[in-house]
Amino acid sequence: MADINSDKSLMEKIVSLCKRRGFIFQSSEIYGGLGSCWDYGPLGIELKRNLKNEWWKAIVQERDDVVGLDSSILMSTKVWEASGHVSGFSDPLVECKKCNGRFRADDIPDAKICPNCGSELSEPRQFNLMFKTFMGPVEDAAAVTYLRPETAQGIFVNFDNVVNTTHKKIPFGIAQQGKSFRNEITTGNFIFRCREFEQMELEFFVKPGTDMEWFQHWLDERWNWYIKLGMNPEHLRFRAHPKEDLAHYAKCCSDIEYLFPMGWSEMEGIANRGNFDLTQHSTHSGKSLDVFDDATNEKYIPYVIEPSAGVDRGVLAFLCESYCEEPDKDDTRVVLKLNPRLSPYKVAILPLSKKEPLASLSKEIYSNLRKVFSATYDDAQSIGRRYRRQDEIGTPYCLTVDFDTIEDKMVTLRDRDSMEQIRIPIAEIESTLHAKLGF
Ligand code: GAP
């Protein structure tokens, strides 16, 4: 079978499935849509939340050396001056003198010729990607503030608060998930590049000199996280940034790239930011942000290793990775072979008939199971069609309640991937699902 990720129409199929089944909708769709912003529907929010929960579990819950944070999106403008975003967070913008098309100069084959109409392009000018807004009722220069373009700065400016309240010692990390905003010149490839998106970022503070060891540690951890959740290693690769491409704050950086349908593209960046950020904030705020080393009796500003993942890019990658088309009888079966931890629903309850006594019994099973697993109920159309619907949204198990169930108190459990069916007692549904799902 050809590798599905080399299928150029895969993105169209995923966009269509996402809309049809309620994973992802275009923002403001009834008004014609707002480019580069997306709304997660009932299934999309479950998938996205599961991905974020897996990250939180691996990064915060299971580690003794990381704590969480949820800082505000709006911060003092001084934060962005100190971090270098006001002066340096920009992309080179070129405009076509004829069709007025706007492009990122480093995104097009020739920065002098319009890729739309072939006319001359303007000289590149630096375009700042931060969204500007005003705080309070007066829209003057003093009221200017920015929507954060990364969650990271909220962590740096709370470094001292976290150290003082948790008494964590270096090495330790602060993790945060949340929305970020960038006024990207060009957007596209569905949820890959948006103007409003979510990040999952860890700032892991270390002693200078141990930074490259920790950098390698986080490269390995993050790679293994994707593999554990079901990524084919052949669809992942590291890309080390050449020195000239490094962000203004980075000492070195490697991306984890995924083989998206449009080609290899960044899913997560892992950077060694040195002590750039804490030094900047210390200098600009006048507050000391150094730590005391008990072993050497010296003070120093920690270095930081930053694994920074895009939630939306993760969602897209796992959708691409799990999408399968399998020949089945005279038809094609579309299956999202998601890791069950990511699946929106873990189990679907499907009564063979809408009528009594099957309906009451099925609803009772559903109501009990919902307390333990994210579950759904479907009694519309034939059982074959209902299995297909669950396959398409990645539900790992279906439970069918049939007329024999009334007598023998057994239900049919169907496995999404193998399509194997077994009969199990109602009393053992919960334990069987725990055992099969592994959680
Ligand atoms: N704090 C470091 C930082 O923000 P970045 O490489 O600019 O680094 C980190 O962004 C991750 O955020 C990227 O790897 C990507 O997954 C996600 N990301 C960045 N810009 C994005 C956009 N416009 N749309 C969706 N995701 C984006």
mmCIF file with all atom_site columns, all heavy atoms in Angstrom, residues 205-218:
data_model
loop_
_atom_site.group_PDB
_atom_site.id
_atom_site.type_symbol
_atom_site.label_atom_id
_atom_site.label_alt_id
_atom_site.label_comp_id
_atom_site.label_asym_id
_atom_site.label_entity_id
_atom_site.label_seq_id
_atom_site.pdbx_PDB_ins_code
_atom_site.Cartn_x
_atom_site.Cartn_y
_atom_site.Cartn_z
_atom_site.occupancy
_atom_site.B_iso_or_equiv
_atom_site.pdbx_formal_charge
_atom_site.auth_seq_id
_atom_site.auth_comp_id
_atom_site.auth_asym_id
_atom_site.auth_atom_id
_atom_site.pdbx_PDB_model_num
ATOM 1   N N   . PHE A 1 205 ? 14.802 25.279 33.143 1.00 0.00 ? 205 PHE A N   1
ATOM 2   C CA  . PHE A 1 205 ? 15.944 26.102 33.574 1.00 0.00 ? 205 PHE A CA  1
ATOM 3   C C   . PHE A 1 205 ? 17.081 25.216 34.082 1.00 0.00 ? 205 PHE A C   1
ATOM 4   O O   . PHE A 1 205 ? 16.851 24.327 34.914 1.00 0.00 ? 205 PHE A O   1
ATOM 5   C CB  . PHE A 1 205 ? 15.489 27.089 34.658 1.00 0.00 ? 205 PHE A CB  1
ATOM 6   C CG  . PHE A 1 205 ? 14.390 28.006 34.169 1.00 0.00 ? 205 PHE A CG  1
ATOM 7   C CD1 . PHE A 1 205 ? 13.055 27.712 34.427 1.00 0.00 ? 205 PHE A CD1 1
ATOM 8   C CD2 . PHE A 1 205 ? 14.690 29.131 33.411 1.00 0.00 ? 205 PHE A CD2 1
ATOM 9   C CE1 . PHE A 1 205 ? 12.031 28.535 33.958 1.00 0.00 ? 205 PHE A CE1 1
ATOM 10  C CE2 . PHE A 1 205 ? 13.679 29.963 32.940 1.00 0.00 ? 205 PHE A CE2 1
ATOM 11  C CZ  . PHE A 1 205 ? 12.349 29.665 33.212 1.00 0.00 ? 205 PHE A CZ  1
ATOM 12  N N   . VAL A 1 206 ? 18.273 25.476 33.575 1.00 0.00 ? 206 VAL A N   1
ATOM 13  C CA  . VAL A 1 206 ? 19.414 24.614 33.912 1.00 0.00 ? 206 VAL A CA  1
ATOM 14  C C   . VAL A 1 206 ? 20.645 25.463 34.216 1.00 0.00 ? 206 VAL A C   1
ATOM 15  O O   . VAL A 1 206 ? 20.694 26.658 33.888 1.00 0.00 ? 206 VAL A O   1
ATOM 16  C CB  . VAL A 1 206 ? 19.738 23.640 32.745 1.00 0.00 ? 206 VAL A CB  1
ATOM 17  C CG1 . VAL A 1 206 ? 18.529 22.791 32.387 1.00 0.00 ? 206 VAL A CG1 1
ATOM 18  C CG2 . VAL A 1 206 ? 20.243 24.387 31.510 1.00 0.00 ? 206 VAL A CG2 1
ATOM 19  N N   . LYS A 1 207 ? 21.636 24.804 34.803 1.00 0.00 ? 207 LYS A N   1
ATOM 20  C CA  . LYS A 1 207 ? 22.894 25.488 35.097 1.00 0.00 ? 207 LYS A CA  1
ATOM 21  C C   . LYS A 1 207 ? 23.695 25.631 33.800 1.00 0.00 ? 207 LYS A C   1
ATOM 22  O O   . LYS A 1 207 ? 23.805 24.659 33.039 1.00 0.00 ? 207 LYS A O   1
ATOM 23  C CB  . LYS A 1 207 ? 23.667 24.635 36.118 1.00 0.00 ? 207 LYS A CB  1
ATOM 24  C CG  . LYS A 1 207 ? 24.798 25.363 36.726 1.00 0.00 ? 207 LYS A CG  1
ATOM 25  C CD  . LYS A 1 207 ? 25.413 24.600 37.864 1.00 0.00 ? 207 LYS A CD  1
ATOM 26  C CE  . LYS A 1 207 ? 26.562 25.448 38.361 1.00 0.00 ? 207 LYS A CE  1
ATOM 27  N NZ  . LYS A 1 207 ? 27.341 24.838 39.372 1.00 0.00 ? 207 LYS A NZ  1
ATOM 28  N N   . PRO A 1 208 ? 24.249 26.822 33.538 1.00 0.00 ? 208 PRO A N   1
ATOM 29  C CA  . PRO A 1 208 ? 25.077 26.964 32.326 1.00 0.00 ? 208 PRO A CA  1
ATOM 30  C C   . PRO A 1 208 ? 26.179 25.909 32.337 1.00 0.00 ? 208 PRO A C   1
ATOM 31  O O   . PRO A 1 208 ? 26.753 25.608 33.390 1.00 0.00 ? 208 PRO A O   1
ATOM 32  C CB  . PRO A 1 208 ? 25.673 28.379 32.471 1.00 0.00 ? 208 PRO A CB  1
ATOM 33  C CG  . PRO A 1 208 ? 24.768 29.088 33.421 1.00 0.00 ? 208 PRO A CG  1
ATOM 34  C CD  . PRO A 1 208 ? 24.155 28.071 34.312 1.00 0.00 ? 208 PRO A CD  1
ATOM 35  N N   . GLY A 1 209 ? 26.430 25.339 31.198 1.00 0.00 ? 209 GLY A N   1
ATOM 36  C CA  . GLY A 1 209 ? 27.435 24.266 31.110 1.00 0.00 ? 209 GLY A CA  1
ATOM 37  C C   . GLY A 1 209 ? 26.778 22.899 31.040 1.00 0.00 ? 209 GLY A C   1
ATOM 38  O O   . GLY A 1 209 ? 27.328 21.958 30.484 1.00 0.00 ? 209 GLY A O   1
ATOM 39  N N   . THR A 1 210 ? 25.532 22.813 31.624 1.00 0.00 ? 210 THR A N   1
ATOM 40  C CA  . THR A 1 210 ? 24.806 21.530 31.513 1.00 0.00 ? 210 THR A CA  1
ATOM 41  C C   . THR A 1 210 ? 23.751 21.649 30.413 1.00 0.00 ? 210 THR A C   1
ATOM 42  O O   . THR A 1 210 ? 22.981 20.724 30.184 1.00 0.00 ? 210 THR A O   1
ATOM 43  C CB  . THR A 1 210 ? 24.081 21.166 32.831 1.00 0.00 ? 210 THR A CB  1
ATOM 44  O OG1 . THR A 1 210 ? 23.089 22.176 33.086 1.00 0.00 ? 210 THR A OG1 1
ATOM 45  C CG2 . THR A 1 210 ? 25.028 21.107 34.017 1.00 0.00 ? 210 THR A CG2 1
ATOM 46  N N   . ASP A 1 211 ? 23.685 22.807 29.757 1.00 0.00 ? 211 ASP A N   1
ATOM 47  C CA  . ASP A 1 211 ? 22.581 23.095 28.841 1.00 0.00 ? 211 ASP A CA  1
ATOM 48  C C   . ASP A 1 211 ? 22.529 22.151 27.642 1.00 0.00 ? 211 ASP A C   1
ATOM 49  O O   . ASP A 1 211 ? 21.452 21.727 27.236 1.00 0.00 ? 211 ASP A O   1
ATOM 50  C CB  . ASP A 1 211 ? 22.606 24.562 28.383 1.00 0.00 ? 211 ASP A CB  1
ATOM 51  C CG  . ASP A 1 211 ? 23.962 25.045 27.943 1.00 0.00 ? 211 ASP A CG  1
ATOM 52  O OD1 . ASP A 1 211 ? 24.962 24.722 28.613 1.00 0.00 ? 211 ASP A OD1 1
ATOM 53  O OD2 . ASP A 1 211 ? 24.042 25.739 26.918 1.00 0.00 ? 211 ASP A OD2 1
ATOM 54  N N   . MET A 1 212 ? 23.682 21.785 27.082 1.00 0.00 ? 212 MET A N   1
ATOM 55  C CA  . MET A 1 212 ? 23.629 20.948 25.881 1.00 0.00 ? 212 MET A CA  1
ATOM 56  C C   . MET A 1 212 ? 23.191 19.518 26.216 1.00 0.00 ? 212 MET A C   1
ATOM 57  O O   . MET A 1 212 ? 22.516 18.872 25.425 1.00 0.00 ? 212 MET A O   1
ATOM 58  C CB  . MET A 1 212 ? 24.976 20.960 25.129 1.00 0.00 ? 212 MET A CB  1
ATOM 59  C CG  . MET A 1 212 ? 25.242 22.272 24.404 1.00 0.00 ? 212 MET A CG  1
ATOM 60  S SD  . MET A 1 212 ? 23.808 22.946 23.491 1.00 0.00 ? 212 MET A SD  1
ATOM 61  C CE  . MET A 1 212 ? 23.660 21.819 22.122 1.00 0.00 ? 212 MET A CE  1
ATOM 62  N N   . GLU A 1 213 ? 23.539 19.078 27.427 1.00 0.00 ? 213 GLU A N   1
ATOM 63  C CA  . GLU A 1 213 ? 23.055 17.759 27.879 1.00 0.00 ? 213 GLU A CA  1
ATOM 64  C C   . GLU A 1 213 ? 21.527 17.764 27.994 1.00 0.00 ? 213 GLU A C   1
ATOM 65  O O   . GLU A 1 213 ? 20.849 16.843 27.574 1.00 0.00 ? 213 GLU A O   1
ATOM 66  C CB  . GLU A 1 213 ? 23.593 17.528 29.290 1.00 0.00 ? 213 GLU A CB  1
ATOM 67  C CG  . GLU A 1 213 ? 24.557 16.399 29.463 1.00 0.00 ? 213 GLU A CG  1
ATOM 68  C CD  . GLU A 1 213 ? 25.134 16.505 30.870 1.00 0.00 ? 213 GLU A CD  1
ATOM 69  O OE1 . GLU A 1 213 ? 24.462 16.074 31.824 1.00 0.00 ? 213 GLU A OE1 1
ATOM 70  O OE2 . GLU A 1 213 ? 26.252 17.069 30.996 1.00 0.00 ? 213 GLU A OE2 1
ATOM 71  N N   . TRP A 1 214 ? 21.021 18.847 28.614 1.00 0.00 ? 214 TRP A N   1
ATOM 72  C CA  . TRP A 1 214 ? 19.565 18.957 28.765 1.00 0.00 ? 214 TRP A CA  1
ATOM 73  C C   . TRP A 1 214 ? 18.879 19.179 27.423 1.00 0.00 ? 214 TRP A C   1
ATOM 74  O O   . TRP A 1 214 ? 17.764 18.693 27.207 1.00 0.00 ? 214 TRP A O   1
ATOM 75  C CB  . TRP A 1 214 ? 19.198 20.094 29.737 1.00 0.00 ? 214 TRP A CB  1
ATOM 76  C CG  . TRP A 1 214 ? 19.325 19.657 31.162 1.00 0.00 ? 214 TRP A CG  1
ATOM 77  C CD1 . TRP A 1 214 ? 20.282 20.025 32.052 1.00 0.00 ? 214 TRP A CD1 1
ATOM 78  C CD2 . TRP A 1 214 ? 18.452 18.739 31.856 1.00 0.00 ? 214 TRP A CD2 1
ATOM 79  N NE1 . TRP A 1 214 ? 20.077 19.409 33.258 1.00 0.00 ? 214 TRP A NE1 1
ATOM 80  C CE2 . TRP A 1 214 ? 18.957 18.612 33.174 1.00 0.00 ? 214 TRP A CE2 1
ATOM 81  C CE3 . TRP A 1 214 ? 17.318 18.021 31.504 1.00 0.00 ? 214 TRP A CE3 1
ATOM 82  C CZ2 . TRP A 1 214 ? 18.346 17.795 34.118 1.00 0.00 ? 214 TRP A CZ2 1
ATOM 83  C CZ3 . TRP A 1 214 ? 16.710 17.209 32.450 1.00 0.00 ? 214 TRP A CZ3 1
ATOM 84  C CH2 . TRP A 1 214 ? 17.221 17.106 33.732 1.00 0.00 ? 214 TRP A CH2 1
ATOM 85  N N   . PHE A 1 215 ? 19.532 19.857 26.540 1.00 0.00 ? 215 PHE A N   1
ATOM 86  C CA  . PHE A 1 215 ? 18.977 20.048 25.188 1.00 0.00 ? 215 PHE A CA  1
ATOM 87  C C   . PHE A 1 215 ? 18.757 18.673 24.552 1.00 0.00 ? 215 PHE A C   1
ATOM 88  O O   . PHE A 1 215 ? 17.674 18.372 24.036 1.00 0.00 ? 215 PHE A O   1
ATOM 89  C CB  . PHE A 1 215 ? 19.962 20.893 24.363 1.00 0.00 ? 215 PHE A CB  1
ATOM 90  C CG  . PHE A 1 215 ? 19.511 21.185 22.956 1.00 0.00 ? 215 PHE A CG  1
ATOM 91  C CD1 . PHE A 1 215 ? 18.393 21.956 22.702 1.00 0.00 ? 215 PHE A CD1 1
ATOM 92  C CD2 . PHE A 1 215 ? 20.226 20.681 21.869 1.00 0.00 ? 215 PHE A CD2 1
ATOM 93  C CE1 . PHE A 1 215 ? 17.982 22.242 21.407 1.00 0.00 ? 215 PHE A CE1 1
ATOM 94  C CE2 . PHE A 1 215 ? 19.818 20.958 20.566 1.00 0.00 ? 215 PHE A CE2 1
ATOM 95  C CZ  . PHE A 1 215 ? 18.701 21.738 20.341 1.00 0.00 ? 215 PHE A CZ  1
ATOM 96  N N   . GLN A 1 216 ? 19.770 17.807 24.654 1.00 0.00 ? 216 GLN A N   1
ATOM 97  C CA  . GLN A 1 216 ? 19.660 16.447 24.090 1.00 0.00 ? 216 GLN A CA  1
ATOM 98  C C   . GLN A 1 216 ? 18.562 15.664 24.812 1.00 0.00 ? 216 GLN A C   1
ATOM 99  O O   . GLN A 1 216 ? 17.777 14.949 24.179 1.00 0.00 ? 216 GLN A O   1
ATOM 100 C CB  . GLN A 1 216 ? 21.015 15.727 24.197 1.00 0.00 ? 216 GLN A CB  1
ATOM 101 C CG  . GLN A 1 216 ? 21.050 14.377 23.482 1.00 0.00 ? 216 GLN A CG  1
ATOM 102 C CD  . GLN A 1 216 ? 20.709 14.485 21.994 1.00 0.00 ? 216 GLN A CD  1
ATOM 103 O OE1 . GLN A 1 216 ? 21.235 15.343 21.292 1.00 0.00 ? 216 GLN A OE1 1
ATOM 104 N NE2 . GLN A 1 216 ? 19.783 13.640 21.522 1.00 0.00 ? 216 GLN A NE2 1
ATOM 105 N N   . HIS A 1 217 ? 18.491 15.828 26.145 1.00 0.00 ? 217 HIS A N   1
ATOM 106 C CA  . HIS A 1 217 ? 17.454 15.139 26.925 1.00 0.00 ? 217 HIS A CA  1
ATOM 107 C C   . HIS A 1 217 ? 16.072 15.475 26.366 1.00 0.00 ? 217 HIS A C   1
ATOM 108 O O   . HIS A 1 217 ? 15.238 14.601 26.138 1.00 0.00 ? 217 HIS A O   1
ATOM 109 C CB  . HIS A 1 217 ? 17.540 15.564 28.400 1.00 0.00 ? 217 HIS A CB  1
ATOM 110 C CG  . HIS A 1 217 ? 16.385 15.110 29.243 1.00 0.00 ? 217 HIS A CG  1
ATOM 111 N ND1 . HIS A 1 217 ? 16.350 13.890 29.871 1.00 0.00 ? 217 HIS A ND1 1
ATOM 112 C CD2 . HIS A 1 217 ? 15.187 15.714 29.528 1.00 0.00 ? 217 HIS A CD2 1
ATOM 113 C CE1 . HIS A 1 217 ? 15.202 13.760 30.513 1.00 0.00 ? 217 HIS A CE1 1
ATOM 114 N NE2 . HIS A 1 217 ? 14.475 14.849 30.325 1.00 0.00 ? 217 HIS A NE2 1
ATOM 115 N N   . TRP A 1 218 ? 15.834 16.769 26.105 1.00 0.00 ? 218 TRP A N   1
ATOM 116 C CA  . TRP A 1 218 ? 14.495 17.169 25.656 1.00 0.00 ? 218 TRP A CA  1
ATOM 117 C C   . TRP A 1 218 ? 14.238 16.800 24.207 1.00 0.00 ? 218 TRP A C   1
ATOM 118 O O   . TRP A 1 218 ? 13.096 16.502 23.837 1.00 0.00 ? 218 TRP A O   1
ATOM 119 C CB  . TRP A 1 218 ? 14.234 18.650 25.968 1.00 0.00 ? 218 TRP A CB  1
ATOM 120 C CG  . TRP A 1 218 ? 13.946 18.802 27.436 1.00 0.00 ? 218 TRP A CG  1
ATOM 121 C CD1 . TRP A 1 218 ? 14.748 19.346 28.392 1.00 0.00 ? 218 TRP A CD1 1
ATOM 122 C CD2 . TRP A 1 218 ? 12.787 18.297 28.128 1.00 0.00 ? 218 TRP A CD2 1
ATOM 123 N NE1 . TRP A 1 218 ? 14.167 19.234 29.639 1.00 0.00 ? 218 TRP A NE1 1
ATOM 124 C CE2 . TRP A 1 218 ? 12.963 18.594 29.507 1.00 0.00 ? 218 TRP A CE2 1
ATOM 125 C CE3 . TRP A 1 218 ? 11.630 17.625 27.729 1.00 0.00 ? 218 TRP A CE3 1
ATOM 126 C CZ2 . TRP A 1 218 ? 12.013 18.240 30.468 1.00 0.00 ? 218 TRP A CZ2 1
ATOM 127 C CZ3 . TRP A 1 218 ? 10.684 17.280 28.691 1.00 0.00 ? 218 TRP A CZ3 1
ATOM 128 C CH2 . TRP A 1 218 ? 10.880 17.589 30.038 1.00 0.00 ? 218 TRP A CH2 1
#
